[in-house]
Amino acid sequence: MLTAVRRELAGLATSVALVALAGCGTTGLPATPTPTPGRPGPAMVQIENSILARPHAGLQQADLVYEYLAEGGITRMTVIYFKPSGNQRIEPVRSARPVTIRLWHAYKGVIFFSGANTKVLQMIQQQQIPALTESSDGGAYFARDASRRAPHNLYTDGDRLAQGLNKYAPRVTYQLPSPGTPGASPAPAVANRIVFNQTNVHRVTYTYSAADGAYAYGTETGPLIDKNTGQPIKPVNVILIQVAHHDAGFTDVLGAPAVDFDLQGTGPADVFSKGHRYTATWDLTNAELPLKIVGADGKPMHLPSGLTWIHLVDPGTPITAS
């Protein structure tokens, strides 16, 4: 995995050297270097959501979270930080899944994870995806939480993520929608409480607070707590995208069938923001650009700034909103 990263960086360095040599004239003076465009891609951290993984830490400070079925009814998250910083813990970090690869192509950052099935590791290596584990660079990006039981005790923090991005992140130029308010036409329905089953064992309840301008995340066992704040995790925007999943064709490290998602093209979406529900469409027709949420007017939706939480749910999943 790290070998693939080094190979990619070595190839890039060779290319840059060849460009510089080609630009040298008879005077022997090097050509003016071309500035690297764009900005570093984001940190993409794999976080588990089993009962043993709770309470989480560091999710409230994220920019974007994708939550999806992993196996056995348990969900996993790809937690995205566009400009990570600070020493607050982010945990527990766990393994990558096939959909992690799809999300990487959309956002092109650096994956921070504990490992993966052999097949997923091969995909990471073959596609030269920057991906860092506990053993990368002498353990620079992770540590173990002595208060938790392994394997649910691997953590990182914003400063460690930033260090990894500075060294390995691809440069990106895509633009994300600017903050705003969804269109009022058609008039959105009231949605102060949202209830749905993401899997057969994971029941999700969101309760809106006008004072917070956010939805408190509740689960089948109670509030989903971020121990850095001591409070329930409170996304400003909650989005459910309907997307089918299928057997990935191989098993995970425990022998369970691996899950992949048909996360391509377009599909129905429900957007919850500021106590209202909006009907929308998710759009990933270009797999190499971030997923778009398109409103009823056919234009990308502009949502209030703050943590946005995207749940991948089965097509036709019942949603109760009131």
PDB file of all heavy atoms in Angstrom, residues 12 28 54-55 62 67 71 83 89 105 107-108 124 135 137 139 143-144 150 194 197 216 227 231 267 270 278 290:
ATOM      1  N   LEU A  12       6.000  10.701 -10.137  1.00  0.00           N
ATOM      2  CA  LEU A  12       5.736  12.128 -10.276  1.00  0.00           C
ATOM      3  C   LEU A  12       7.040  12.911 -10.254  1.00  0.00           C
ATOM      4  O   LEU A  12       7.252  13.817 -11.057  1.00  0.00           O
ATOM      5  CB  LEU A  12       4.819  12.591  -9.145  1.00  0.00           C
ATOM      6  CG  LEU A  12       4.478  14.082  -9.109  1.00  0.00           C
ATOM      7  CD1 LEU A  12       3.778  14.487 -10.393  1.00  0.00           C
ATOM      8  CD2 LEU A  12       3.616  14.393  -7.897  1.00  0.00           C
ATOM      9  N   GLY A  28      21.864  26.378 -20.303  1.00  0.00           N
ATOM     10  CA  GLY A  28      21.948  25.522 -19.132  1.00  0.00           C
ATOM     11  C   GLY A  28      21.103  26.004 -17.982  1.00  0.00           C
ATOM     12  O   GLY A  28      21.110  25.410 -16.913  1.00  0.00           O
ATOM     13  N   ARG A  54     -18.667   2.775  19.915  1.00  0.00           N
ATOM     14  CA  ARG A  54     -19.209   3.990  20.524  1.00  0.00           C
ATOM     15  C   ARG A  54     -18.692   4.172  21.950  1.00  0.00           C
ATOM     16  O   ARG A  54     -18.456   3.188  22.635  1.00  0.00           O
ATOM     17  CB  ARG A  54     -20.745   3.922  20.503  1.00  0.00           C
ATOM     18  CG  ARG A  54     -21.305   3.779  19.092  1.00  0.00           C
ATOM     19  CD  ARG A  54     -22.793   3.462  19.108  1.00  0.00           C
ATOM     20  NE  ARG A  54     -23.275   3.183  17.749  1.00  0.00           N
ATOM     21  CZ  ARG A  54     -24.458   2.632  17.491  1.00  0.00           C
ATOM     22  NH1 ARG A  54     -25.264   2.296  18.488  1.00  0.00           N
ATOM     23  NH2 ARG A  54     -24.818   2.408  16.240  1.00  0.00           N
ATOM     24  N   PRO A  55     -18.499   5.412  22.422  1.00  0.00           N
ATOM     25  CA  PRO A  55     -18.760   6.658  21.704  1.00  0.00           C
ATOM     26  C   PRO A  55     -17.652   6.995  20.705  1.00  0.00           C
ATOM     27  O   PRO A  55     -16.494   6.640  20.900  1.00  0.00           O
ATOM     28  CB  PRO A  55     -18.804   7.696  22.824  1.00  0.00           C
ATOM     29  CG  PRO A  55     -17.855   7.159  23.851  1.00  0.00           C
ATOM     30  CD  PRO A  55     -18.038   5.666  23.800  1.00  0.00           C
ATOM     31  N   ALA A  62     -16.079  17.208  11.548  1.00  0.00           N
ATOM     32  CA  ALA A  62     -15.939  16.854  10.134  1.00  0.00           C
ATOM     33  C   ALA A  62     -16.745  17.805   9.261  1.00  0.00           C
ATOM     34  O   ALA A  62     -17.620  18.544   9.729  1.00  0.00           O
ATOM     35  CB  ALA A  62     -16.386  15.418   9.905  1.00  0.00           C
ATOM     36  N   GLU A  67     -22.321   7.482   5.406  1.00  0.00           N
ATOM     37  CA  GLU A  67     -22.552   6.296   6.232  1.00  0.00           C
ATOM     38  C   GLU A  67     -23.261   5.247   5.390  1.00  0.00           C
ATOM     39  O   GLU A  67     -24.240   5.550   4.698  1.00  0.00           O
ATOM     40  CB  GLU A  67     -23.383   6.642   7.466  1.00  0.00           C
ATOM     41  CG  GLU A  67     -23.588   5.446   8.397  1.00  0.00           C
ATOM     42  CD  GLU A  67     -24.333   5.783   9.679  1.00  0.00           C
ATOM     43  OE1 GLU A  67     -24.584   6.987   9.923  1.00  0.00           O
ATOM     44  OE2 GLU A  67     -24.672   4.844  10.425  1.00  0.00           O
ATOM     45  N   GLU A  71     -21.358  -4.750   6.856  1.00  0.00           N
ATOM     46  CA  GLU A  71     -21.738  -6.159   6.848  1.00  0.00           C
ATOM     47  C   GLU A  71     -22.527  -6.441   8.114  1.00  0.00           C
ATOM     48  O   GLU A  71     -22.405  -5.728   9.114  1.00  0.00           O
ATOM     49  CB  GLU A  71     -20.515  -7.095   6.775  1.00  0.00           C
ATOM     50  CG  GLU A  71     -19.634  -7.094   8.009  1.00  0.00           C
ATOM     51  CD  GLU A  71     -18.627  -5.961   8.019  1.00  0.00           C
ATOM     52  OE1 GLU A  71     -18.070  -5.667   6.950  1.00  0.00           O
ATOM     53  OE2 GLU A  71     -18.415  -5.366   9.080  1.00  0.00           O
ATOM     54  N   LYS A  83     -10.115  20.609   5.532  1.00  0.00           N
ATOM     55  CA  LYS A  83      -8.957  21.332   6.077  1.00  0.00           C
ATOM     56  C   LYS A  83      -8.761  20.923   7.536  1.00  0.00           C
ATOM     57  O   LYS A  83      -9.041  21.699   8.459  1.00  0.00           O
ATOM     58  CB  LYS A  83      -9.158  22.844   5.962  1.00  0.00           C
ATOM     59  CG  LYS A  83      -9.196  23.354   4.527  1.00  0.00           C
ATOM     60  CD  LYS A  83      -9.364  24.874   4.494  1.00  0.00           C
ATOM     61  CE  LYS A  83      -9.369  25.396   3.069  1.00  0.00           C
ATOM     62  NZ  LYS A  83      -9.540  26.876   3.019  1.00  0.00           N
ATOM     63  N   ARG A  89      -8.954  14.039  19.289  1.00  0.00           N
ATOM     64  CA  ARG A  89      -8.933  12.698  18.722  1.00  0.00           C
ATOM     65  C   ARG A  89     -10.088  12.462  17.749  1.00  0.00           C
ATOM     66  O   ARG A  89     -11.185  13.002  17.919  1.00  0.00           O
ATOM     67  CB  ARG A  89      -8.996  11.653  19.831  1.00  0.00           C
ATOM     68  CG  ARG A  89      -7.725  11.586  20.656  1.00  0.00           C
ATOM     69  CD  ARG A  89      -7.788  10.474  21.686  1.00  0.00           C
ATOM     70  NE  ARG A  89      -6.540  10.406  22.447  1.00  0.00           N
ATOM     71  CZ  ARG A  89      -6.283   9.494  23.369  1.00  0.00           C
ATOM     72  NH1 ARG A  89      -7.191   8.572  23.665  1.00  0.00           N
ATOM     73  NH2 ARG A  89      -5.124   9.497  24.004  1.00  0.00           N
ATOM     74  N   HIS A 105     -12.485   8.289  -5.616  1.00  0.00           N
ATOM     75  CA  HIS A 105     -12.471   8.818  -6.984  1.00  0.00           C
ATOM     76  C   HIS A 105     -13.276  10.113  -7.082  1.00  0.00           C
ATOM     77  O   HIS A 105     -12.950  10.991  -7.884  1.00  0.00           O
ATOM     78  CB  HIS A 105     -13.007   7.771  -7.962  1.00  0.00           C
ATOM     79  CG  HIS A 105     -11.982   6.752  -8.345  1.00  0.00           C
ATOM     80  ND1 HIS A 105     -11.023   6.979  -9.308  1.00  0.00           N
ATOM     81  CD2 HIS A 105     -11.741   5.510  -7.865  1.00  0.00           C
ATOM     82  CE1 HIS A 105     -10.239   5.913  -9.418  1.00  0.00           C
ATOM     83  NE2 HIS A 105     -10.650   5.008  -8.551  1.00  0.00           N
ATOM     84  N   TYR A 107     -13.648  12.384  -4.572  1.00  0.00           N
ATOM     85  CA  TYR A 107     -13.072  13.490  -3.801  1.00  0.00           C
ATOM     86  C   TYR A 107     -11.548  13.576  -3.877  1.00  0.00           C
ATOM     87  O   TYR A 107     -10.975  14.618  -3.575  1.00  0.00           O
ATOM     88  CB  TYR A 107     -13.520  13.388  -2.336  1.00  0.00           C
ATOM     89  CG  TYR A 107     -14.998  13.646  -2.182  1.00  0.00           C
ATOM     90  CD1 TYR A 107     -15.917  12.596  -2.215  1.00  0.00           C
ATOM     91  CD2 TYR A 107     -15.487  14.940  -2.040  1.00  0.00           C
ATOM     92  CE1 TYR A 107     -17.278  12.829  -2.103  1.00  0.00           C
ATOM     93  CE2 TYR A 107     -16.847  15.185  -1.924  1.00  0.00           C
ATOM     94  CZ  TYR A 107     -17.738  14.128  -1.965  1.00  0.00           C
ATOM     95  OH  TYR A 107     -19.086  14.367  -1.858  1.00  0.00           O
ATOM     96  N   LYS A 108     -10.891  12.489  -4.213  1.00  0.00           N
ATOM     97  CA  LYS A 108      -9.443  12.456  -4.461  1.00  0.00           C
ATOM     98  C   LYS A 108      -8.611  13.070  -3.335  1.00  0.00           C
ATOM     99  O   LYS A 108      -7.891  14.046  -3.522  1.00  0.00           O
ATOM    100  CB  LYS A 108      -9.134  13.142  -5.790  1.00  0.00           C
ATOM    101  CG  LYS A 108      -9.698  12.374  -6.981  1.00  0.00           C
ATOM    102  CD  LYS A 108      -9.291  12.987  -8.283  1.00  0.00           C
ATOM    103  CE  LYS A 108      -9.743  12.123  -9.441  1.00  0.00           C
ATOM    104  NZ  LYS A 108     -11.211  11.933  -9.487  1.00  0.00           N
ATOM    105  N   ILE A 124      -6.547  -0.538  -4.103  1.00  0.00           N
ATOM    106  CA  ILE A 124      -5.839   0.677  -3.689  1.00  0.00           C
ATOM    107  C   ILE A 124      -4.468   0.747  -4.345  1.00  0.00           C
ATOM    108  O   ILE A 124      -4.052   1.792  -4.859  1.00  0.00           O
ATOM    109  CB  ILE A 124      -5.727   0.720  -2.153  1.00  0.00           C
ATOM    110  CG1 ILE A 124      -7.108   0.976  -1.534  1.00  0.00           C
ATOM    111  CG2 ILE A 124      -4.732   1.789  -1.700  1.00  0.00           C
ATOM    112  CD1 ILE A 124      -7.144   0.858  -0.027  1.00  0.00           C
ATOM    113  N   SER A 135       1.076   1.675  10.196  1.00  0.00           N
ATOM    114  CA  SER A 135       2.499   1.423   9.967  1.00  0.00           C
ATOM    115  C   SER A 135       3.141   2.415   9.002  1.00  0.00           C
ATOM    116  O   SER A 135       4.362   2.398   8.822  1.00  0.00           O
ATOM    117  CB  SER A 135       2.690   0.002   9.423  1.00  0.00           C
ATOM    118  OG  SER A 135       2.027  -0.152   8.174  1.00  0.00           O
ATOM    119  N   ASP A 137       4.965   5.488   7.446  1.00  0.00           N
ATOM    120  CA  ASP A 137       5.920   6.507   7.905  1.00  0.00           C
ATOM    121  C   ASP A 137       6.228   6.373   9.393  1.00  0.00           C
ATOM    122  O   ASP A 137       6.249   7.364  10.143  1.00  0.00           O
ATOM    123  CB  ASP A 137       5.396   7.908   7.598  1.00  0.00           C
ATOM    124  CG  ASP A 137       5.383   8.216   6.103  1.00  0.00           C
ATOM    125  OD1 ASP A 137       5.971   7.435   5.331  1.00  0.00           O
ATOM    126  OD2 ASP A 137       4.777   9.224   5.710  1.00  0.00           O
ATOM    127  N   GLY A 139       4.511   5.111  11.826  1.00  0.00           N
ATOM    128  CA  GLY A 139       3.418   5.345  12.769  1.00  0.00           C
ATOM    129  C   GLY A 139       3.102   6.805  13.002  1.00  0.00           C
ATOM    130  O   GLY A 139       2.550   7.165  14.054  1.00  0.00           O
ATOM    131  N   ALA A 143      -2.305   6.532  16.646  1.00  0.00           N
ATOM    132  CA  ALA A 143      -1.885   6.033  17.955  1.00  0.00           C
ATOM    133  C   ALA A 143      -3.017   5.157  18.483  1.00  0.00           C
ATOM    134  O   ALA A 143      -4.092   5.072  17.880  1.00  0.00           O
ATOM    135  CB  ALA A 143      -1.584   7.183  18.907  1.00  0.00           C
ATOM    136  N   ARG A 144      -2.763   4.491  19.614  1.00  0.00           N
ATOM    137  CA  ARG A 144      -3.759   3.613  20.224  1.00  0.00           C
ATOM    138  C   ARG A 144      -4.281   4.225  21.522  1.00  0.00           C
ATOM    139  O   ARG A 144      -3.517   4.758  22.326  1.00  0.00           O
ATOM    140  CB  ARG A 144      -3.148   2.233  20.506  1.00  0.00           C
ATOM    141  CG  ARG A 144      -2.828   1.424  19.254  1.00  0.00           C
ATOM    142  CD  ARG A 144      -4.057   0.792  18.657  1.00  0.00           C
ATOM    143  NE  ARG A 144      -3.768   0.102  17.391  1.00  0.00           N
ATOM    144  CZ  ARG A 144      -4.671  -0.608  16.717  1.00  0.00           C
ATOM    145  NH1 ARG A 144      -5.906  -0.723  17.181  1.00  0.00           N
ATOM    146  NH2 ARG A 144      -4.342  -1.187  15.579  1.00  0.00           N
ATOM    147  N   ALA A 150      -8.868  -3.161  21.759  1.00  0.00           N
ATOM    148  CA  ALA A 150      -8.556  -3.398  20.353  1.00  0.00           C
ATOM    149  C   ALA A 150      -9.612  -4.347  19.774  1.00  0.00           C
ATOM    150  O   ALA A 150     -10.126  -5.206  20.491  1.00  0.00           O
ATOM    151  CB  ALA A 150      -7.163  -4.001  20.231  1.00  0.00           C
ATOM    152  N   ILE A 194     -37.062  12.828  12.217  1.00  0.00           N
ATOM    153  CA  ILE A 194     -36.869  11.918  11.085  1.00  0.00           C
ATOM    154  C   ILE A 194     -36.557  10.535  11.639  1.00  0.00           C
ATOM    155  O   ILE A 194     -35.709  10.398  12.529  1.00  0.00           O
ATOM    156  CB  ILE A 194     -35.689  12.373  10.200  1.00  0.00           C
ATOM    157  CG1 ILE A 194     -35.775  13.868   9.880  1.00  0.00           C
ATOM    158  CG2 ILE A 194     -35.607  11.545   8.931  1.00  0.00           C
ATOM    159  CD1 ILE A 194     -34.444  14.465   9.463  1.00  0.00           C
ATOM    160  N   ASN A 197     -34.925   3.129   9.069  1.00  0.00           N
ATOM    161  CA  ASN A 197     -34.014   2.018   9.326  1.00  0.00           C
ATOM    162  C   ASN A 197     -32.966   1.995   8.222  1.00  0.00           C
ATOM    163  O   ASN A 197     -33.291   1.693   7.068  1.00  0.00           O
ATOM    164  CB  ASN A 197     -34.767   0.689   9.363  1.00  0.00           C
ATOM    165  CG  ASN A 197     -35.684   0.578  10.570  1.00  0.00           C
ATOM    166  OD1 ASN A 197     -35.372   1.088  11.645  1.00  0.00           O
ATOM    167  ND2 ASN A 197     -36.820  -0.075  10.399  1.00  0.00           N
ATOM    168  N   ALA A 216     -30.030  16.316  16.110  1.00  0.00           N
ATOM    169  CA  ALA A 216     -29.328  15.402  17.010  1.00  0.00           C
ATOM    170  C   ALA A 216     -29.529  13.972  16.516  1.00  0.00           C
ATOM    171  O   ALA A 216     -30.657  13.539  16.268  1.00  0.00           O
ATOM    172  CB  ALA A 216     -29.850  15.548  18.434  1.00  0.00           C
ATOM    173  N   LYS A 227     -17.491  12.057  22.003  1.00  0.00           N
ATOM    174  CA  LYS A 227     -16.953  12.246  23.352  1.00  0.00           C
ATOM    175  C   LYS A 227     -16.057  13.470  23.462  1.00  0.00           C
ATOM    176  O   LYS A 227     -15.737  13.894  24.577  1.00  0.00           O
ATOM    177  CB  LYS A 227     -16.231  10.991  23.833  1.00  0.00           C
ATOM    178  CG  LYS A 227     -14.931  10.652  23.163  1.00  0.00           C
ATOM    179  CD  LYS A 227     -14.326   9.428  23.844  1.00  0.00           C
ATOM    180  CE  LYS A 227     -12.923   9.116  23.342  1.00  0.00           C
ATOM    181  NZ  LYS A 227     -12.336   7.964  24.066  1.00  0.00           N
ATOM    182  N   GLN A 231     -21.673  15.583  23.726  1.00  0.00           N
ATOM    183  CA  GLN A 231     -23.021  15.820  23.227  1.00  0.00           C
ATOM    184  C   GLN A 231     -23.333  14.883  22.060  1.00  0.00           C
ATOM    185  O   GLN A 231     -22.426  14.338  21.426  1.00  0.00           O
ATOM    186  CB  GLN A 231     -23.152  17.272  22.754  1.00  0.00           C
ATOM    187  CG  GLN A 231     -22.954  18.307  23.839  1.00  0.00           C
ATOM    188  CD  GLN A 231     -24.077  18.296  24.850  1.00  0.00           C
ATOM    189  OE1 GLN A 231     -25.250  18.148  24.496  1.00  0.00           O
ATOM    190  NE2 GLN A 231     -23.728  18.440  26.125  1.00  0.00           N
ATOM    191  N   GLY A 267     -30.125   9.166  -8.769  1.00  0.00           N
ATOM    192  CA  GLY A 267     -31.165   8.480  -8.011  1.00  0.00           C
ATOM    193  C   GLY A 267     -31.876   9.437  -7.079  1.00  0.00           C
ATOM    194  O   GLY A 267     -31.461  10.590  -6.896  1.00  0.00           O
ATOM    195  N   ASP A 270     -33.498  12.553  -0.372  1.00  0.00           N
ATOM    196  CA  ASP A 270     -34.284  13.387   0.534  1.00  0.00           C
ATOM    197  C   ASP A 270     -33.311  14.220   1.349  1.00  0.00           C
ATOM    198  O   ASP A 270     -32.374  13.679   1.950  1.00  0.00           O
ATOM    199  CB  ASP A 270     -35.142  12.523   1.460  1.00  0.00           C
ATOM    200  CG  ASP A 270     -36.276  11.842   0.728  1.00  0.00           C
ATOM    201  OD1 ASP A 270     -37.347  12.457   0.601  1.00  0.00           O
ATOM    202  OD2 ASP A 270     -36.082  10.694   0.276  1.00  0.00           O
ATOM    203  N   TYR A 278     -36.775  18.338   1.752  1.00  0.00           N
ATOM    204  CA  TYR A 278     -36.753  18.701   0.340  1.00  0.00           C
ATOM    205  C   TYR A 278     -36.559  17.442  -0.503  1.00  0.00           C
ATOM    206  O   TYR A 278     -35.708  16.597  -0.190  1.00  0.00           O
ATOM    207  CB  TYR A 278     -35.601  19.663   0.048  1.00  0.00           C
ATOM    208  CG  TYR A 278     -35.646  20.950   0.843  1.00  0.00           C
ATOM    209  CD1 TYR A 278     -35.106  21.008   2.132  1.00  0.00           C
ATOM    210  CD2 TYR A 278     -36.213  22.101   0.314  1.00  0.00           C
ATOM    211  CE1 TYR A 278     -35.133  22.182   2.865  1.00  0.00           C
ATOM    212  CE2 TYR A 278     -36.244  23.286   1.043  1.00  0.00           C
ATOM    213  CZ  TYR A 278     -35.709  23.315   2.318  1.00  0.00           C
ATOM    214  OH  TYR A 278     -35.742  24.480   3.047  1.00  0.00           O
ATOM    215  N   PRO A 290     -17.080  15.184  -7.168  1.00  0.00           N
ATOM    216  CA  PRO A 290     -17.928  14.964  -5.996  1.00  0.00           C
ATOM    217  C   PRO A 290     -19.397  14.779  -6.347  1.00  0.00           C
ATOM    218  O   PRO A 290     -19.902  15.348  -7.320  1.00  0.00           O
ATOM    219  CB  PRO A 290     -17.714  16.243  -5.175  1.00  0.00           C
ATOM    220  CG  PRO A 290     -16.348  16.700  -5.544  1.00  0.00           C
ATOM    221  CD  PRO A 290     -16.231  16.391  -7.014  1.00  0.00           C
TER     222      PRO A 290
END
